[in-house]
Amino acid sequence: MGSGKSTLAQALAAKLGTSAFDLDALIERAAGTTVESIFRERGEAGFRELERETLHAELERHTQGVFALGGGTVTDQALRRELLAGGTLVTLSADVSELARRVGEGKGRPLLAGHDVEARLEALLAQRADAYAECHARIQTGGRALDAIADEVIAVARDQALVVPLGTRSYRVEIGAGVRARLPLRAGKRSRVVLVSDELVAPLFGDALAEAMRAAGTPVETVVLGPGEAHKNIASVERIWEAALSAEIDRGGLLIGVGGGVVGDLTGFAAATLLRGVAVGHVPTTLLAMVDSAIGGKTGFDTRHGKNLVGAFHQPSFVLCDVETLATLPDAERRAGLGEVVKAAFIDGEAAVQRLERDAAALRAGDAEATVRAIRMAAALKARVVTEDEREAGLRAVLNLGHTLGHAIEAAQGYTGLRHGEAVALGMVAAFGLSARLGIGTAEQQARLVRLLDALGLPTNVGAYMRPEVLSFIASDKKRMADSVTFVLPAEPGRIVLRPLAIAELPALLQHQ
Ligand SMILES: NC(=O)c1ccc[n+]([C@@H]2O[C@H](COP(=O)([O-])OP(=O)(O)OC[C@H]3O[C@@H](n4cnc5c(N)ncnc54)[C@H](O)[C@@H]3O)[C@@H](O)[C@H]2O)c1
């Protein structure tokens, strides 16, 4: 209320050559009466229902336009998330005293009537903090020219960032060429920043990013870890802790991970545990990290007992996926990332699989546009699943498609010779085979997956890897319950089934893969 959204919508529509719609005005027109009297007659719940129906009807009619929503419209979580996924959602903010001045005594605004306006606005903002934080951008309007605000909104819309909506812990995943240059801006004003990368990534990107932060006036310490999974251990975490504590980091500090999934998981874990939690931002530089590990807040490291056995959930504050950084990535690492992209497409649905089938040759050749499209699809899927099941209580398990067998194949190979994404590709082929055998999926779906993986240069000859040790590693899987292991089995693109299978049955089921 009083944020100036109707005026801004008009200005935006004029600049964009499209139409502006004011939701309250549309509702009044449809109902033939004022918002105030709808509130009086139907109560707030009745009004919200009408609001939802009217907005849906308008969105059906217009594929584009600028909508000024009522301040309460986005308090409906399902509607808000629909708007976030289908368009650009911007929250306008201003100081409460400024808002109070703009709304006057609150005449015609049923939620303010009869209250001390400033106190009531304050209470509403606190009540709606989670809803208003789930947006593509929060834009300050106080003391700014309309034109400048409109330009900022247009820039946000053109950027097409993804939002991981988690209330006040929401964050954006920005994907594109050159987005790493935004790091100083996204880091904001910080007392202390520690930038972590590894020996391969530091000279390529980490050092230059640290310099850019310093040039912007932020004191930055750097930590350069040994590269690869072999360094994903407590010793690396200690090096980050040590650098941060020596720099006297406080709760307002920030850790930044610039690198692949190993750097990201270690930096995230150090951030989760330092002072019981400081902010972390990710600049993923491998395809796998962009589509998977940088999003979702899982952090951790390996011990001699296995991979990722110690960890914590800690969501980042921002993620910058700069596809330019992929230019230096070895081909085998890129291919491994594509394994996770294929997984995401089969979880997402038919349209995503078809798009990937069309883009396969371009992706294999490293085409930038096809790569951005693939990252966007996979990152959006991950963001959606994480939002619905942040702590892996249920749905998030679908992301393990191909992983139970993939991990076992990796372990049976002694973690050499196969990259994780390649093992996941093999694991998916086996999972599709299991599905077909159990009547959940079909042999045609498995053949389709194999064609796609082939086109992307990923391994598919799962039979060659099905050594007896694979079964013993499955039996020791951490997702095991008593005598069975839960498998993530694909029925068809977009339909995944979780099915516990008795360990005793597995040898027969996994034969002839
Ligand atoms: N947190 C999660 O949700 C999650 C999800 C999936 C995987 N992971 C973890 O991610 C890790 C795998 O990540 P990864 O595949 O990115 O491996 P990685 O971090 O080891 O990177 C692979 C190699 O590429 C190098 N590298 C990185 N960026 C480069 C670039 N732009 N140019 C040249 N070289 C570059 C690295 O130095 C490393 O040697 C595993 O430890 C896995 O457990 C975590």
Side-chain angles (χ1 to χ4, degrees):
M1 274 176 263
S3 66
K5 54 193 179 287
S6 306
T7 320
L8 178 66
Q10 298 286 349
L12 271 170
K15 272 183 182 264
L16 293 166
T18 183
S19 312
F21 304 93
D22 188 273
L23 187 55
D24 280 353
L26 290 170
I27 295 169
E28 291 189 336
R29 203 164 56 222
T33 180
T34 61
V35 167
E36 214 175 352
S37 68
I38 301 170
F39 256 77
R40 219 178 17 249
E41 284 158 27
R42 307 194 192 184
E44 183 170 351
F47 176 78
R48 296 276 168 245
E49 203 181 309
L50 194 58
E51 195 175 37
R52 202 165 42 237
E53 281 167 14
T54 311
L55 183 57
H56 275 139
E58 288 302 320
L59 290 172
E60 280 282 309
R61 265 199 286 279
H62 310 280
T63 54
Q64 49 176 302
V66 184
F67 285 80
L69 306 175
T73 317
V74 292
T75 55
D76 176 332
Q77 190 190 68
L79 183 60
R80 178 171 77 241
R81 296 202 170 157
E82 204 180 298
L83 295 170
L84 270 174
T88 303
L89 186 59
V90 165
T91 302
L92 302 179
S93 31
D95 288 343
V96 171
S97 54
E98 168 75 13
L99 292 175
R101 197 186 53 72
R102 292 188 202 159
V103 298
E105 285 162 10
K107 210 166 155 331
R109 300 180 189 266
L111 289 176
L112 297 184
H115 291 88
D116 166 343
V117 171
E118 216 168 302
R120 179 71 182 134
L121 282 173
E122 195 103 55
L124 275 174
L125 284 173
Q127 215 176 65
R128 296 175 176 176
D130 276 328
Y132 286 174
E134 293 188 355
C135 59
H136 286 89
R138 226 187 151 102
I139 295 182
Q140 275 299 333
T141 59
R144 294 181 64 195
L146 191 59
D147 204 47
I149 302 172
D151 286 343
E152 191 178 343
V153 176
I154 290 170
V156 170
R158 297 228 157 105
D159 206 38
Q160 294 190 318
L162 288 171
V163 176
V164 183
L166 293 167
T168 50
R169 293 175 303 121
S170 300
Y171 54 96
R172 263 184 305 178
V173 180
E174 298 169 68
I175 303 162
V179 297
R180 70 186 186 285
R182 300 175 187 174
L183 183 61
L185 206 64
R186 295 297 173 260
K189 291 254 164 296
R190 301 276 176 177
S191 50
R192 283 285 172 276
V193 170
V194 178
L195 188 144
V196 184
S197 63
D198 70 26
E199 285 162 12
L200 298 177
V201 177
L204 292 170
F205 311 108
D207 294 343
L209 285 173
E211 251 341 288
M213 302 271 302
R214 289 186 192 111
T218 308
V220 180
E221 294 297 322
T222 55
V223 178
V224 179
L225 303 172
E229 195 71 32
H231 294 92
K232 195 177 176 185
N233 51 31
I234 186 74
S236 293
V237 173
E238 273 172 343
R239 289 195 47 210
I240 307 173
W241 281 337
E242 183 54 37
L245 295 170
S246 299
E248 298 183 358
I249 197 163
D250 57 23
R251 293 296 302 273
L254 170 74
L255 302 194
I256 300 169
V258 181
V262 168
V263 165
D265 280 11
L266 291 166
T267 310
F269 181 80
T273 45
L274 274 166
L275 310 178
R276 298 198 178 82
V278 299
V280 64
H282 292 305
V283 184
T285 62
T286 65
L287 186 55
L288 179 129
M290 291 184 192
V291 300
D292 197 349
S293 61
I295 305 167
K298 271 210 231 173
T299 74
F301 59 91
D302 306 337
T303 73
R304 69 184 176 83
H305 298 281
K307 282 184 62 171
N308 300 322
L309 288 178
V310 183
F313 284 98
H314 190 57
Q315 297 292 345
S317 304
F318 59 83
V319 181
L320 298 173
C321 299
D322 189 339
V323 290
E324 280 177 9
T325 64
L326 300 178
T328 54
L329 195 65
D331 202 43
E333 295 294 349
R334 161 186 286 279
R335 266 203 314 272
L338 288 173
E340 296 286 353
V341 170
V342 172
K343 177 198 83 176
F346 275 94
I347 297 171
D348 196 37
E350 184 57 37
V353 175
Q354 280 185 19
R355 176 87 250 179
L356 216 49
E357 287 170 336
R358 281 199 301 276
D359 276 350
L363 278 170
R364 177 114 194 239
D367 175 77
E369 273 178 36
T371 305
V372 167
R373 255 196 310 275
I375 296 172
R376 213 176 270 292
M377 176 278 295
L381 182 268
K382 177 105 195 238
R384 214 167 56 237
V385 174
V386 165
T387 307
E388 285 179 40
D389 179 20
E390 192 183 353
R391 299 219 157 205
E392 206 168 321
L395 177 71
R396 193 163 171 171
V398 301
L399 294 175
N400 287 327
L401 174 62
H403 280 62
T404 304
L405 281 154
H407 280 148
I409 291 172
E410 251 182 314
Q413 294 287 115
Y415 295 101
T416 54
L418 267 184
R419 284 189 166 67
H420 175 68
E422 292 171 321
V424 168
L426 291 167
M428 280 193 285
V429 176
F432 272 71
L434 265 179
S435 271
R437 210 160 276 208
L438 293 165
I440 293 170
T442 62
E444 287 75 49
Q445 292 290 359
Q446 189 191 33
R448 187 183 186 191
L449 169 78
V450 167
R451 277 195 303 277
L452 180 56
L453 293 172
D454 267 340
L456 293 168
L458 283 153
T460 57
N461 54 340
V462 66
Y465 293 89
M466 272 300 165
R467 303 209 303 250
E469 301 91 294
V470 172
L471 278 175
S472 22
F473 280 108
I474 293 177
S476 65
D477 190 278
K478 62 182 167 183
K479 288 164 193 88
R480 175 185 168 169
M481 313 263 268
D483 293 329
S484 65
V485 172
T486 299
F487 276 82
V488 184
L489 298 172
E492 59 188 357
R495 200 155 64 80
I496 310 292
V497 173
L498 300 185
R499 174 78 59 91
L501 296 178
I503 288 168
E505 277 181 72
L506 289 178
L509 282 172
L510 288 171
Q511 251 178 20
H512 312 300
Q513 282 284 349

